[in-house]
Amino acid sequence: MPAYNSIFNEDPNPPRLVGNFPLLPLRTKIRGPVYPLPFPEPPLPASESPDPDSGSYDILDEVLALFRANTFFRNFEIQGPADRLLVYGIWFVSDCLSKIKPNANVREATKEVTNLALDTHFAIPGDPAWPLNQMYEPPRDRQDGEILRQYMSQVRQELATRLLARVYDEGGDGKPSKWWLSFTKRKFMGKGL
């Protein structure tokens, strides 16, 4: 059985690419280089995603929906640019989950995960520390590199916020969901950020 690929690969409007990393629109209030998608009406709880057919559904909803299933795969065939962002999102979610301790309350976990998301010293494609440089092209120039870093920072912050809402919503007792934390030891494709 193959891993799940992104539905955004079939998007009729191709996204802007930096190298071969897509800058897909996000449903967020965090400033960044892409235009924000509208929020669903009526508003959904923070721990839920809109329907995939909705105009509010974005790649980060898909990352969280496919994380647990795709984490079991050691191989992943990239079928389009959106898959590169999907892979990065899964790696980042894995990093976030490793920061959440099983007995951490919401405040402690938010601090740890937010610090990780706000850290500006992270690798981008083309850097020696990037896990899969053979599958990702580096930015064309320094300006493209800065745009990519801003976008990835926006993705990290929004993904951290949505992940925390899910990890702490499912339990309801102020403890993180054991179901989410059971994936902390798994490495998607045997790699991490």
Side-chain angles (χ1 to χ4, degrees):
M1 182 173 156
Y4 297 97
N5 293 84
S6 175
I7 62 171
F8 293 96
N9 287 328
E10 287 92 40
D11 194 351
N13 305 320
R16 177 178 175 201
L17 298 177
V18 174
N20 59 1
F21 198 94
L23 303 184
L24 293 168
L26 306 171
R27 186 183 72 253
T28 183
K29 292 180 181 173
I30 298 166
R31 290 186 52 181
V34 295
Y35 69 89
L37 290 174
F39 283 82
E41 283 297 326
L44 293 171
S47 61
E48 292 181 22
S49 294
D51 187 55
D53 297 332
S54 160
S56 298
Y57 189 78
D58 67 7
I59 186 76
L60 303 184
D61 292 318
E62 188 174 53
V63 165
L64 292 168
L66 297 180
F67 170 78
R68 295 184 271 198
N70 276 356
T71 300
F72 290 105
F73 292 97
R74 295 201 47 79
N75 298 313
F76 184 79
E77 181 185 346
I78 293 181
Q79 296 179 350
D83 282 342
R84 289 183 179 83
L85 182 52
L86 179 68
V87 168
Y88 178 72
I90 289 173
W91 284 336
F92 183 70
V93 168
S94 218
D95 271 8
C96 289
L97 289 175
S98 70
K99 296 286 185 192
I100 301 172
K101 305 288 183 256
N103 57 356
N105 62 31
V106 179
R107 217 168 124 231
E108 294 165 346
T110 301
K111 181 182 175 193
E112 288 293 323
V113 172
T114 302
N115 285 340
L116 179 65
L118 292 175
D119 182 15
T120 57
H121 303 293
F122 58 87
I124 63 171
D127 289 350
W130 185 257
L132 280 177
N133 269 326
Q134 68 271 24
M135 296 171 105
Y136 290 81
E137 294 173 10
R140 190 180 57 231
D141 54 30
R142 198 166 162 205
Q143 182 180 359
D144 270 3
E146 188 54 38
I147 289 170
L148 181 57
R149 187 171 293 282
Q150 289 172 2
Y151 179 71
M152 290 172 83
S153 181
Q154 185 182 21
V155 165
R156 291 164 67 98
Q157 292 174 53
E158 184 62 31
L159 202 47
T161 303
R162 293 187 198 180
L163 176 66
L164 285 166
R166 283 168 172 76
V167 169
Y168 280 91
D169 180 63
E170 292 178 6
D173 58 358
K175 297 271 185 232
S177 164
K178 290 178 185 167
W179 213 82
W180 274 95
L181 292 187
S182 66
F183 289 86
T184 55
K185 301 270 189 277
R186 293 214 155 269
K187 294 278 188 209
F188 176 53
M189 298 171 60
K191 301 195 180 303
L193 294 176

